[in-house]
């Protein structure tokens, strides 16, 4: 790749089935972790109809493929520059299909020696752009991306999340041309952290499993299956099980499962943590945002609060300084197409930011979400949230509560506003076009978050003026 995005990208993902959530929503969410100062924008691509077939060509690695003449409307979070590719990462389209790409992963050398990654195959940079505008269900998304991988090859091992209002799917690319996908059971969830995670594949159950053609024959012909009983465990055939996994990846899965299913005790370094887990309670937005913003709170591994200098740095946390944005894509089956999807977006470090709701049926975003480059810019939404986090970092013990109080205040305001908008749409109590109404309301909420965080930064800067190491208290006796 033109830039070492694969070596830098190190995300954490979560998927929740509809019967595992409080209100029947299907959720998918992910932290996009790559660089500590690399802004993300947000946009809404309008529906487009062309008279001739279009062609996509990646600025990242030259991957190229034809595209259909009709591209559906969708939200996206591209990077501030397309010099190295688009990296649109996440969004919801006009049919209420959500996609998040990608969860970077690693395939083992045995597999890659038989089916190497393809240098100009599809990679993270292109996936949302060439898939999300052309699908009407989550399952269609799996099949479209899977066929692209089979036909053109993949440049990276990756995990990709899909959802509609009925189901969530997780697709994993394990080699240059082979992949598997599993439907998340309605009453369960999955947390994934930079590993190939899918376990046993039931090839007869096409309702819940999809795979590349010939994957069984490929594994058998190349003698890749370590199983003694002949079972097909994708993680163990295609993935890695190393000390790096135990330090870098599995602890994040362990903590997510520890929080959502506390009744089960597990080892944070275990290589046998299950891909699918049932929660001990029904899950809501706060549960997903807690996991995505977590850093091993209430354990010896918390880098912010642990008193053990060795354990606090032992494991890589979920929320990281290199997080560019975090998203939770919510799909509700009880609402009409235009209002069922909400794109919750937290710019900057998840633990220090806040998830702002954006109705996928809207047609524009706040101007601050369209600007921002690699150098600090006070007019950029990314930099507004990033600045507040940097100020909190400097004096964490003094400022953490003020940040936490604001995050709680804003989430109450956002949830209240979402309920009011949904009620207004259901009752038909809004003026003008629905998309215009949703746009106005979404931008109001984006604006509220920005103003509150700007006020927070002003407060923190003011307080920090008296926290200089050059302060000196004069002896009262002098």
């Amino acid at each position: 790749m033109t830039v070492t995005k694969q070596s830098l990208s190190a995300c954490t993902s979560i998927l929740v089935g509809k019967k595992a959530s409080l209100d029947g929503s299907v959720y998918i969410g992910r932290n996009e972790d790559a660089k500590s100062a690399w802004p993300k924008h947000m946009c809404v691509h309008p529906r487009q109809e062309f008279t001739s077939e279009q062609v996509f060509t990646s600025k990242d690695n030259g991957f190229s493929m034809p595209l259909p003449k009709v591209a559906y409307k969708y939200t996206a979070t591209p990077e501030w520059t397309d010099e190295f590719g688009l990296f649109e990462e996440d969004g919801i389209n006009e049919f209420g299909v959500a996609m998040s790409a990608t969860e970077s992963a690693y395939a083992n050398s045995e597999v890659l020696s038989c089916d190497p990654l393809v240098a100009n195959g599809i990679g993270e940079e292109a996936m949302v752009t060439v898939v999300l505008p052309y699908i009407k269900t989550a399952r269609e998304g799996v099949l479209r991306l899977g066929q692209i991988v089979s036909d053109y090859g993949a440049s990276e091992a990756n995990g990709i999340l899909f959802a509609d209002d009925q189901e969530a799917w997780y697709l994993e690319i394990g080699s240059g041309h082979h992949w598997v996908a599993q439907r998340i059971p309605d009453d369960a969830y999955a947390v994934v952290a930079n590993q190939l995670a899918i376990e046993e594949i039931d090839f007869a159950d096409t309702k819940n499993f999809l795979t590349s053609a010939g994957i069984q024959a490929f594994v058998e012909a190349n003698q890749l299956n370590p199983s003694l009983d002949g079972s097909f465990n994708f993680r163990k055939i295609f993935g890695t099980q190393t000390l790096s996994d135990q330090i870098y990846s599995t602890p994040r899965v362990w903590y997510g499962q520890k929080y959502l299913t506390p009744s089960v005790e597990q080892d944070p370094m275990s290589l046998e943590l299950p891909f699918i887990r049932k929660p001990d309670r029904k899950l809501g937005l706060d549960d997903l945002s807690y996991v995505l913003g977590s850093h091993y709170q209430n354990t010896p591994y918390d880098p912010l609060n642990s008193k053990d200098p060795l354990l606090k740095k032992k494991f890589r946390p979920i929320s990281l300084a290199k997080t560019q944005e975090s998203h939770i894509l919510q799909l509700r089956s009880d609402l009409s197409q235009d209002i069922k999807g909400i794109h919750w977006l937290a710019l900057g470090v998840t633990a220090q930011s806040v998830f702002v709701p954006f109705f996928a049926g809207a047609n524009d975003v706040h101007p601050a979400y369209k600007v921002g480059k690699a150098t600090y810019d006070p007019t950029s939404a990314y930099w507004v949230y990033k600045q507040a986090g940097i100020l909190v970092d400097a004096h964490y013990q003094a400022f953490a509560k003020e940040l936490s109080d604001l995050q709680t205040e804003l989430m109450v305001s956002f949830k209240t506003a979402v309920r009011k908008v949904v009620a207004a749409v259901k009752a038909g109590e809004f003026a003008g076009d629905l998309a215009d109404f949703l746009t106005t309301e979404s931008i109001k909420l984006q604006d509220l978050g920005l103003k509150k965080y700007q006020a927070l930064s002003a407060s923190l800067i003011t307080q920090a003026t008296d926290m200089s190491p050059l302060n000196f208290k004069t002896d009262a006796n002098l």
Side-chain angles (χ1 to χ4, degrees):
M1 301 175 70
T2 306
V3 291
T4 56
K5 184 74 178 187
Q6 175 73 352
S7 63
L8 289 169
S9 185
C11 312
T12 306
S13 298
I14 184 168
L15 308 92
V16 178
K18 61 184 180 181
K19 291 183 180 179
S21 70
L22 284 168
D23 62 357
S25 292
V26 176
Y27 289 101
I28 58 175
R30 181 172 61 91
N31 288 352
E32 181 190 355
D33 305 335
K35 296 182 181 181
S36 57
W38 201 250
K40 300 295 294 189
H41 295 175
M42 186 180 190
C43 65
V44 181
H45 293 289
R47 182 186 180 101
Q48 292 182 286
E49 298 187 17
F50 301 95
T51 56
S52 60
E53 190 177 71
Q54 301 298 292
V55 176
F56 173 87
T57 300
S58 170
K59 286 188 176 182
D60 179 38
N61 68 347
F63 164 73
S64 184
M65 67 171 289
L67 298 175
K69 294 179 182 179
V70 178
Y72 309 138
K73 171 185 172 184
Y74 68 105
T75 62
T77 61
E79 300 201 331
W80 69 272
T81 175
D82 67 355
E83 180 182 357
F84 309 115
L86 294 172
F87 292 97
E88 292 200 301
E89 295 298 314
D90 49 277
I92 304 174
N93 74 15
E94 65 181 83
F95 289 97
V97 183
M99 178 180 178
S100 176
T102 68
E103 180 72 34
S104 298
Y106 302 92
N108 65 60
S109 60
E110 288 289 340
V111 167
L112 294 180
S113 70
C114 302
D115 182 25
L117 297 171
V118 179
N120 64 345
I122 190 168
E124 173 179 351
E125 177 270 332
M127 287 183 183
V128 167
T129 309
V130 303
V131 175
L132 186 56
Y134 309 104
I135 56 177
K136 294 184 178 180
T137 67
R139 186 184 180 93
E140 279 188 22
V142 170
L143 293 172
R144 176 172 173 81
L145 179 57
Q147 194 62 54
I148 293 171
V149 171
S150 295
D151 291 347
Y152 294 89
S155 63
E156 307 154 348
N158 278 318
I160 300 91
L161 299 73
F162 293 95
D164 54 35
D165 64 9
Q166 294 301 312
E167 55 187 21
W169 282 83
Y170 191 63
L171 182 153
E172 291 190 315
I173 301 168
S175 66
H177 300 84
H178 285 294
W179 56 273
V180 301
Q182 183 172 354
R183 183 184 185 275
I184 307 303
D186 291 342
D187 62 351
Y189 69 89
V191 175
V192 192
N194 299 131
Q195 295 169 296
L196 294 177
I198 296 175
E199 297 176 280
E200 298 293 333
I201 305 296
D202 184 347
F203 289 93
D205 182 6
T206 55
K207 178 182 177 182
N208 295 297
F209 294 92
L210 294 168
T211 72
S212 53
I215 190 172
Q216 287 174 285
F218 164 76
V219 168
E220 183 176 354
N222 290 288
Q223 300 175 309
L224 297 172
N225 193 343
S227 171
L228 295 174
D229 62 8
S231 59
F232 196 100
N233 185 309
F234 182 75
R235 179 197 297 180
K236 293 186 176 179
I237 298 171
F238 284 78
T240 57
Q241 294 87 39
T242 66
L243 180 60
S244 176
D245 292 306
Q246 293 176 293
I247 298 296
Y248 194 79
S249 300
T250 63
R252 285 180 276 154
V253 177
W254 166 78
Y255 190 77
Q257 294 186 357
K258 173 182 172 63
Y259 179 71
L260 301 176
T261 314
S263 61
V264 177
E265 291 190 11
Q266 301 176 117
D267 182 342
M269 295 180 67
S270 171
L271 291 172
E272 302 298 329
L273 298 178
F275 171 54
I276 301 295
R277 177 69 83 189
K278 291 186 179 182
D280 282 354
R281 60 186 183 279
K282 289 198 172 184
L283 308 178
L285 184 76
D286 288 349
D287 293 304
L288 277 80
S289 62
Y290 181 90
V291 170
L292 292 174
S294 65
H295 41 86
Y296 304 116
Q297 295 96 308
N298 303 313
T299 77
Y301 311 114
D302 186 349
L304 293 178
N305 297 300
S306 175
K307 292 180 171 56
D308 189 314
L310 295 178
L311 291 181
K312 71 188 298 183
K313 294 293 185 180
K314 184 174 182 177
F315 299 142
R316 188 269 210 207
I318 290 175
S319 184
L320 202 66
K322 285 182 169 57
T323 303
Q324 295 170 271
E325 55 87 16
S326 182
H327 51 273
I328 299 172
L329 309 180
Q330 179 182 10
L331 289 311
R332 293 178 56 176
S333 62
D334 60 330
L335 300 176
S336 63
Q337 201 76 276
D338 288 323
I339 193 76
K340 70 170 55 178
I342 301 179
H343 189 148
W344 297 84
L345 182 64
L347 291 173
V349 179
T350 317
Q352 299 164 338
S353 186
V354 64
F355 285 95
V356 183
F358 183 86
F359 292 98
N363 52 30
D364 202 0
V365 302
H366 192 289
Y369 281 73
K370 303 177 185 181
V371 298
K373 298 182 180 180
T375 301
Y376 171 74
D377 175 0
T379 69
S380 160
Y382 169 88
W383 281 113
V384 167
Y385 287 102
K386 192 73 176 178
Q387 179 188 46
I390 292 168
L391 293 169
V392 171
D393 280 341
H395 305 285
Y396 181 79
Q397 298 303 324
F399 293 161
K401 186 177 186 304
E402 190 169 349
L403 170 65
S404 177
D405 288 347
L406 176 60
Q407 289 171 318
T408 300
E409 175 192 331
L410 281 171
M411 286 308 298
V412 171
S413 296
F414 292 153
K415 290 178 181 178
T416 300
V418 167
R419 290 180 183 277
K420 288 181 177 178
V421 169
V422 168
V425 172
K426 282 185 172 181
E429 296 175 351
F430 60 91
D433 179 73
L434 176 57
D436 290 341
F437 172 67
L438 296 176
T439 302
T440 299
E441 295 303 313
S442 295
I443 291 176
K444 280 182 185 177
L445 298 178
Q446 290 176 332
D447 189 61
L448 174 63
L450 290 169
K451 287 179 176 175
K452 289 288 187 178
Y453 262 72
Q454 286 166 336
L456 172 65
S457 289
S459 171
L460 300 183
I461 290 171
T462 304
Q463 294 176 64
T465 60
D466 198 36
M467 296 178 177
S468 169
L470 292 177
N471 261 352
F472 186 84
K473 292 185 177 180
T474 303
D475 190 320
N477 295 318
L478 291 179

